[in-house]
């Protein structure tokens, strides 16, 4: 290939309704975006259709051979866990610990003040599929009792006889010494070679037996389906691009921690993809908002099935190792995302008592909302928007026509059951959806000590911006940032993400007794593992970057606080700097610290290293100024249509603007509708929008909250 030929890097985010595609020409810096319907029966079809479509948009001079890399965000693992569709799963653990899953943490989830009303969920592995093997290590990895190989063989044969093909192995203190787990895998490979096996020492080298057991079992549970999906996509992609063994196309999968990993490696650690799609969106929106001048942002990713929200400060999404997906805790580093069943396809329904509910059931992509005309019979959030005129009678610039009359009839049926007008029923559906989203936003902000009034809301996804003005009213937010091509922000985020691997080692020790040489050795080992992974990903040693962090707590506390650790030589002075950072972070989180208390000790718990392979990011686009351009109405207004913003006001004649014609400095007063290829922004009365140099829409209230009441 000519050195001057285009080099096209593609980001693809597969959602429940649409597959979003962004192509980045590394030689020219241009971005090309599009969408195509998802294909739930075989997601690879929508994946390849999207690539074919975006290459067609780039012209005849660009073909599949010009693709330099593909990054992909997937919800395969997420959906499997949310739906609870797990195959039979077996668990092998240390003798005497067979009920670790049943005991769990003996904690009742928030919202159940009286445990009498809480029903304990089914365990991920039923008790009859848990087997134990004798052998014991201490917390430093020393062998207390030898591994019983005869018993291990009996267990392996039993699972084979039972036809259990997926197994998780977690032996006590394997984080300190993996030798017993590794021998168990060797025996399983010999006796039950077709089984899929996950070892806790490879999934999570961190103490706490319950969390490590659950994380290992979740990894095992999603491994077969994720592996099959990734292999299928990879084979289709190689066939499409003509790649061979000697010219394999780099194919990356988004991880929950905010990095990507090659498809070849991701099949060995599939649990890292459980928040693949939402993580990419949060990163993309955070980067866009920071470059727009907003350093405190709540992101709201509205799709066809659900809405994902997170908090981003200084362009960095919040991370957690205490996350859950569905009913399953997963103690791996992941972007702190809260998901609610409030997407465009969420179904509106009524209870036997006559209450209106919205979601979490979704019409998805097939059959979809009533207005799609694909056989949907239950009214959805999208149907309410269509009926109220807030979105046009088509999607994707006219590619997908919508049946407004069908949507109206569906809304009318539910309105009749509620004995309300159709307008009241439709606005009620949207109000309930907005409150569902607002509650999720409160969960990641107010409940964590943040004042939402200081935050902008970055909305994206196909449906993310439809309720933006309502969310400002409900939460009293500072305003809203709507990126250009909001429906493709997750796919764009995939092009901004570095390759990233996380490694952890538990090493519990009081700060005043810390063995600095031992800490240095452990960090050296973690860094070597991270470097080896980056070598395998094709990054030269000169490009390797490493981030250190440490989990600390006060002696006697049950949980830790993570703080970044500086680079450089590991000395006593270095350790003191880490401890000071812990005191400061503890005060920030909880309002107090014991920095000056001689009788309170700091305890080091986990050492962490992230290995990062940096990539070239697309530059932010810049649009022309409105100064000297034709008048806004002549340039960007495409017409008017009746739109209902409030049931009491009914339908009002509302101007419609085409976003591609808006220029920097343009200002629009509500009510108005701003449309583009993949999304629509309803601008309510008493709100205004301005366009910045990066083509973002910045929405703010024109009156105070009190004035609007």
């Amino acid at each position: 290939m000519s050195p001057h030929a285009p080099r096209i890097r593609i980001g693809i985010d597969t959602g429940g309704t649409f597959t979003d595609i962004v192509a980045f020409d590394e030689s020219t810096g241009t971005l090309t975006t599009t969408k195509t319907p998802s294909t739930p029966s075989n997601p690879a079809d929508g994946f390849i259709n999207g690539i074919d479509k975006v290459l067609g948009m780039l012209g005849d001079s660009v073909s599949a051979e010009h693709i330099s890399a593909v990054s992909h965000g997937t919800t395969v693992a997420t959906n499997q866990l949310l739906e609870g569709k797990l195959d039979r799963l077996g668990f092998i653990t240390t003798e005497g610990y067979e009920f670790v899953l049943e005991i769990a943490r003996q904690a009742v989830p928030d919202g159940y003040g009286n445990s009498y009303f809480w029903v304990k969920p089914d365990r991920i592995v039923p008790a009859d599929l848990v087997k134990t093997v004798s052998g014991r290590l201490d917390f430093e990895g020393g062998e207390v009792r030898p591994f019983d190989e005869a018993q291990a063989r009996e267990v392996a044969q039993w699972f084979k006889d039972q036809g259990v093909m997926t197994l998780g192995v977690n032996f006590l203190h394997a984080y300190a010494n993996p030798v017993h787990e590794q021998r168990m895998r060797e025996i399983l490979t010999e006796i039950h070679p077709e089984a899929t096996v996950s070892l806790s020492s490879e999934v999570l080298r961190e103490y706490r037996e319950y969390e490590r057991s659950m994380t290992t079992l979740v990894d095992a549970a999603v491994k077969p389906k994720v592996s099959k999906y990734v292999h299928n996509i990879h084979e289709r992609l190689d066939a499409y691009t003509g790649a061979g063994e000697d010219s394999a196309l780099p194919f990356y999968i988004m991880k929950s921690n905010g990095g990507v990993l090659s498809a070849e490696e991701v099949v060995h650690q599939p649990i890292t993809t459980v928040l693949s799609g939402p993580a990419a969106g949060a990163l993309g929106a955070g980067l866009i908002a920071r470059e727009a001048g907003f350093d405190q942002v709540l992101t709201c990713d509205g799709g066809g099935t659900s809405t994902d929200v997170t908090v981003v400060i200084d362009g960095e999404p919040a991370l957690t190792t205490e996350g859950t997906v569905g009913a399953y805790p997963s103690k791996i580093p992941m972007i702190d995302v809260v998901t609610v069943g409030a997407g465009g396809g969420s179904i509106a329904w009524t209870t036997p008592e006559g209450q209106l509910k919205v979601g979490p059931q979704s019409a998805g992509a097939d059959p979809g909302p009533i207005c799609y005309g694909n056989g949907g019979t239950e009214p959805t959030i999208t149907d309410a928007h269509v009926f109220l005129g807030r979105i046009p009678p088509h999607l994707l610039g006219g590619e997908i026509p919508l049946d407004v009359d069908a949507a109206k009839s569906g809304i009318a049926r539910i309105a009749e059951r509620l004995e309300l007008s159709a307008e009241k029923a439709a606005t009620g559906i949207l109000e309930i959806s907005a409150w569902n989203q607002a509650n999720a936003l409160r969960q990641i902000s107010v409940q964590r000590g943040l004042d939402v009034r200081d935050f902008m809301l970055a909305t994206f996804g196909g449906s993310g911006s439809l309720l933006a003005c309502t969310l400002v009213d409900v939460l009293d937010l500072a305003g809203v940032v709507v990126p250009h091509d909001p429906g493709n922000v997750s796919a764009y985020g995939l092009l901004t993400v570095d390759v990233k691997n996380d490694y952890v080692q538990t090493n519990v020790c009081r700060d005043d007794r810390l063995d600095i040489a031992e800490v240095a050795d452990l960090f050296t080992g973690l860094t070597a593992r991270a470097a080896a992974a980056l070598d395998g990903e094709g990054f030269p040693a000169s490009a390797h970057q490493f981030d250190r962090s440490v989990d600390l707590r006060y002696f006697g506390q049950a949980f830790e606080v993570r703080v970044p650790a500086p680079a450089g030589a590991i000395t006593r002075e270095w350790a003191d700097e880490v401890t000071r950072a812990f005191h400061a972070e503890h005060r920030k989180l909880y309002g107090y610290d014991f920095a000056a208390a001689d009788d309170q000790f700091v305890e080091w718990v986990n050492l962490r290293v992230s290995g990062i392979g940096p990539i070239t990011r697309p530059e932010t686009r810049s649009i022309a100024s409105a100064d000297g351009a034709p008048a806004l109405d002549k340039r960007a207004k495409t017409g008017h249509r009746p739109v209902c913003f409030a049931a009491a006001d009914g339908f009002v004649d509302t101007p419609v603007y085409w976003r591609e014609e808006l220029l920097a400095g343009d200002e629009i007063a509500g009510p108005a509708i701003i449309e583009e290829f993949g999304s629509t922004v309803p601008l309510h009365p008493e709100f205004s929008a301005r366009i910045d140099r990066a083509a973002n829409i910045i929405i703010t209230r024109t009156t105070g909250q009190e004035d609007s009441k």
Side-chain angles (χ1 to χ4, degrees), residues 342-543:
S346 295
I347 293 172
W349 52 285
T350 56
T351 67
E353 296 78 23
Q355 291 180 314
L356 176 62
K357 302 283 186 179
V358 181
Q361 304 93 332
S362 175
D366 185 13
I370 296 175
C371 60
Y372 279 20
N374 291 334
T377 58
E378 299 296 328
T380 66
I381 292 173
T382 296
D383 293 309
H385 281 297
V386 170
F387 166 67
L388 295 172
R390 299 190 189 183
I391 60 177
H394 56 75
L395 297 176
L396 305 189
E399 290 185 23
I400 302 177
L402 302 178
D403 190 335
V404 179
D405 291 335
K408 182 177 180 179
S409 64
I411 296 295
R413 288 195 298 272
I414 201 167
E416 184 178 353
R417 294 201 297 270
L418 295 167
E419 298 181 354
L420 298 173
S421 68
E423 293 81 1
K424 188 69 174 176
T427 55
I429 290 170
L430 299 186
E431 187 172 348
I432 291 172
S433 178
W435 276 94
N436 288 339
Q437 294 181 15
N439 288 335
L441 288 164
R442 282 196 179 100
Q443 186 176 335
I444 63 164
S445 57
V446 177
Q447 292 185 17
R448 298 175 191 183
L450 301 175
D451 189 341
V452 292
R453 294 172 297 183
D454 298 331
F455 282 75
M456 294 289 285
L457 180 69
T459 60
F460 58 101
S463 66
S465 306
L466 292 171
L467 297 172
C469 293
T470 306
L471 288 171
V472 171
D473 280 339
V474 171
L475 294 171
D476 196 13
L477 297 162
V480 181
V481 182
V482 185
H484 191 262
D485 286 323
N488 293 79
V489 167
S490 290
Y492 168 78
L494 289 164
L495 300 178
T496 70
V497 178
D498 297 322
V499 171
K500 185 178 181 182
N501 263 312
D502 297 310
Y503 299 91
V504 59
Q505 178 67 60
T506 292
N507 183 53
V508 181
C509 184
R510 263 176 41 178
D511 180 66
D512 59 331
R513 300 171 182 170
L514 199 64
D515 185 331
I516 298 298
E518 182 181 16
V519 171
D521 287 344
L522 290 172
F523 266 122
T524 298
L526 293 171
T527 303
R529 291 172 62 194
L534 292 174
D535 289 338
E537 296 284 352
F539 288 92
S542 59

Side-chain angles (χ1 to χ4, degrees), residues 173 175 256 314 498 613 651:
H173 302 308
Y175 59 85
S256 307
D314 294 329
D498 297 322
F651 285 85

Side-chain angles (χ1 to χ4, degrees), residues 129-462:
L129 292 181
V130 177
K131 293 295 178 182
T132 63
V133 177
S134 179
R136 186 69 176 267
L137 301 171
D138 64 22
F139 72 97
E140 294 180 325
E143 189 171 79
V144 177
R145 255 193 334 267
F147 184 65
D148 190 332
E149 294 201 4
Q151 192 176 7
R153 291 178 180 278
E154 292 175 5
V155 167
Q157 186 64 51
W158 186 88
F159 278 116
K160 181 180 181 180
D161 294 342
Q162 296 297 314
V164 179
M165 306 302 296
T166 308
L167 301 168
V169 180
N170 179 18
F171 291 145
L172 195 64
H173 302 308
Y175 59 85
N177 184 350
V179 62
H180 287 182
E181 287 192 351
Q182 291 170 349
R183 183 56 186 144
M184 185 71 233
R185 179 167 58 190
E186 291 171 357
I187 291 171
L188 286 166
T189 301
E190 174 190 336
I191 296 175
H192 193 7
E194 296 181 354
T196 297
V197 180
S198 289
L199 304 184
S200 75
S201 53
E202 295 178 349
V203 175
L204 184 71
R205 292 197 72 163
E206 188 174 335
Y207 86 145
R208 291 199 173 98
E209 297 310 308
Y210 170 65
E211 284 81 1
R212 191 153 55 93
S213 297
M214 283 298 302
T215 305
T216 303
L217 289 165
V218 168
D219 181 80
V222 302
K223 188 175 285 185
K225 194 166 185 178
V226 169
S227 298
K228 181 179 179 181
Y229 172 81
V230 171
H231 281 129
N232 183 25
I233 293 279
H234 207 174
E235 288 177 1
R236 292 283 297 273
L237 184 60
D238 286 345
Y240 180 83
T241 59
E245 291 185 8
D246 298 330
S247 59
L249 179 70
F251 178 39
Y252 298 105
I253 303 295
M254 183 73 200
K255 297 172 63 179
S256 307
N257 67 351
V260 292
L261 189 62
S262 67
E264 291 83 1
E265 288 300 319
V266 115
V267 298
H268 301 302
Q269 40 183 301
I271 191 173
T272 62
T273 70
V274 294
L275 289 178
S276 175
L283 284 163
L287 176 63
I288 291 168
R290 183 179 60 179
E291 293 184 348
F294 304 108
D295 56 5
Q296 295 192 106
V297 179
L298 302 177
T299 69
C300 182
D301 179 4
T305 304
S306 61
T307 295
D308 304 307
V309 301
T310 192
V311 59
V312 180
I313 297 178
D314 294 329
E316 295 294 331
L319 287 173
T320 182
T321 55
E322 305 295 334
T324 61
V325 181
Y328 309 113
S330 298
K331 197 173 173 59
I332 60 167
M334 61 176 68
I335 289 177
D336 197 0
V337 175
V338 173
T339 300
V340 290
S346 295
I347 293 172
W349 52 285
T350 56
T351 67
E353 296 78 23
Q355 291 180 314
L356 176 62
K357 302 283 186 179
V358 181
Q361 304 93 332
S362 175
D366 185 13
I370 296 175
C371 60
Y372 279 20
N374 291 334
T377 58
E378 299 296 328
T380 66
I381 292 173
T382 296
D383 293 309
H385 281 297
V386 170
F387 166 67
L388 295 172
R390 299 190 189 183
I391 60 177
H394 56 75
L395 297 176
L396 305 189
E399 290 185 23
I400 302 177
L402 302 178
D403 190 335
V404 179
D405 291 335
K408 182 177 180 179
S409 64
I411 296 295
R413 288 195 298 272
I414 201 167
E416 184 178 353
R417 294 201 297 270
L418 295 167
E419 298 181 354
L420 298 173
S421 68
E423 293 81 1
K424 188 69 174 176
T427 55
I429 290 170
L430 299 186
E431 187 172 348
I432 291 172
S433 178
W435 276 94
N436 288 339
Q437 294 181 15
N439 288 335
L441 288 164
R442 282 196 179 100
Q443 186 176 335
I444 63 164
S445 57
V446 177
Q447 292 185 17
R448 298 175 191 183
L450 301 175
D451 189 341
V452 292
R453 294 172 297 183
D454 298 331
F455 282 75
M456 294 289 285
L457 180 69
T459 60
F460 58 101

Side-chain angles (χ1 to χ4, degrees), residues 394-709:
H394 56 75
L395 297 176
L396 305 189
E399 290 185 23
I400 302 177
L402 302 178
D403 190 335
V404 179
D405 291 335
K408 182 177 180 179
S409 64
I411 296 295
R413 288 195 298 272
I414 201 167
E416 184 178 353
R417 294 201 297 270
L418 295 167
E419 298 181 354
L420 298 173
S421 68
E423 293 81 1
K424 188 69 174 176
T427 55
I429 290 170
L430 299 186
E431 187 172 348
I432 291 172
S433 178
W435 276 94
N436 288 339
Q437 294 181 15
N439 288 335
L441 288 164
R442 282 196 179 100
Q443 186 176 335
I444 63 164
S445 57
V446 177
Q447 292 185 17
R448 298 175 191 183
L450 301 175
D451 189 341
V452 292
R453 294 172 297 183
D454 298 331
F455 282 75
M456 294 289 285
L457 180 69
T459 60
F460 58 101
S463 66
S465 306
L466 292 171
L467 297 172
C469 293
T470 306
L471 288 171
V472 171
D473 280 339
V474 171
L475 294 171
D476 196 13
L477 297 162
V480 181
V481 182
V482 185
H484 191 262
D485 286 323
N488 293 79
V489 167
S490 290
Y492 168 78
L494 289 164
L495 300 178
T496 70
V497 178
D498 297 322
V499 171
K500 185 178 181 182
N501 263 312
D502 297 310
Y503 299 91
V504 59
Q505 178 67 60
T506 292
N507 183 53
V508 181
C509 184
R510 263 176 41 178
D511 180 66
D512 59 331
R513 300 171 182 170
L514 199 64
D515 185 331
I516 298 298
E518 182 181 16
V519 171
D521 287 344
L522 290 172
F523 266 122
T524 298
L526 293 171
T527 303
R529 291 172 62 194
L534 292 174
D535 289 338
E537 296 284 352
F539 288 92
S542 59
H544 293 185
Q545 298 176 7
F546 304 101
D547 286 343
R548 298 169 177 166
S549 59
V550 183
D551 298 346
L552 304 99
R553 64 190 178 192
Y554 290 118
F555 187 77
Q557 286 184 328
F559 294 97
E560 302 81 45
V561 173
R562 183 182 304 177
V563 296
I570 295 177
T571 62
R572 183 63 252 183
E573 290 74 20
W574 175 92
D576 291 340
E577 187 175 347
V578 172
T579 305
R580 286 193 295 270
F582 163 69
H583 289 306
E585 186 66 16
H586 196 281
R587 171 168 287 280
K588 179 180 175 181
L589 289 172
Y590 303 112
Y592 72 96
D593 66 68
F594 293 125
D598 294 335
D599 59 343
Q600 296 289 341
F601 300 98
V602 172
E603 192 169 46
W604 292 51
V605 179
N606 297 311
L607 311 178
R608 299 179 185 271
V609 170
S610 295
I612 299 169
I615 54 90
T616 302
R617 290 179 172 82
E619 293 184 3
T620 303
R621 62 174 289 182
S622 181
I623 60 173
S625 171
D627 293 341
L632 173 64
D633 284 359
K634 292 183 179 180
R635 172 173 26 97
K637 186 187 288 185
T638 59
H640 291 75
R641 70 165 175 262
V643 180
C644 179
F645 293 96
D649 298 332
F651 285 85
V652 296
D653 193 41
T654 304
V656 180
Y657 296 88
W658 183 244
R659 186 170 184 179
E660 296 300 325
E661 299 298 329
L662 297 177
L663 301 175
D666 278 336
E667 295 190 6
I668 301 173
I673 299 291
I674 303 173
E675 296 178 354
E676 60 183 303
F677 174 76
S679 185
T680 300
V681 181
L683 189 64
H684 288 222
E686 301 182 342
F687 282 83
S688 65
R690 66 174 176 86
I691 311 302
D692 71 6
R693 289 301 301 268
N696 299 306
I697 300 175
I698 312 299
I699 300 173
T700 53
R701 287 195 62 89
T702 54
T703 60
Q705 291 285 74
E706 293 301 321
D707 296 334
S708 65
K709 294 180 180 177

Side-chain angles (χ1 to χ4, degrees), residues 17-97:
T17 306
F18 290 104
T19 295
D20 305 328
I21 308 98
V22 175
F24 173 46
D25 188 333
E26 295 178 313
S27 57
T28 65
T30 58
L31 288 170
T32 304
T33 65
T34 190
K35 300 168 81 73
T36 188
S38 294
T39 51
S41 59
N42 186 357
D45 292 339
F47 184 95
I48 298 299
N49 291 343
I51 294 179
D52 199 44
K53 184 176 180 180
V54 79
L55 290 181
M57 295 171 65
L58 292 172
D60 296 336
S61 62
V62 177
S63 63
E65 68 175 3
H66 296 119
I67 300 175
S68 60
V70 176
S71 296
H72 180 40
T74 173
T75 57
V76 169
T78 314
N79 292 342
Q80 187 181 6
L81 295 172
L82 289 175
E83 295 168 5
K85 296 179 179 178
L86 308 181
D87 293 333
R88 292 179 77 205
L89 191 61
F91 181 38
I92 304 172
T93 190
T94 300
E95 189 175 62
Y97 284 79

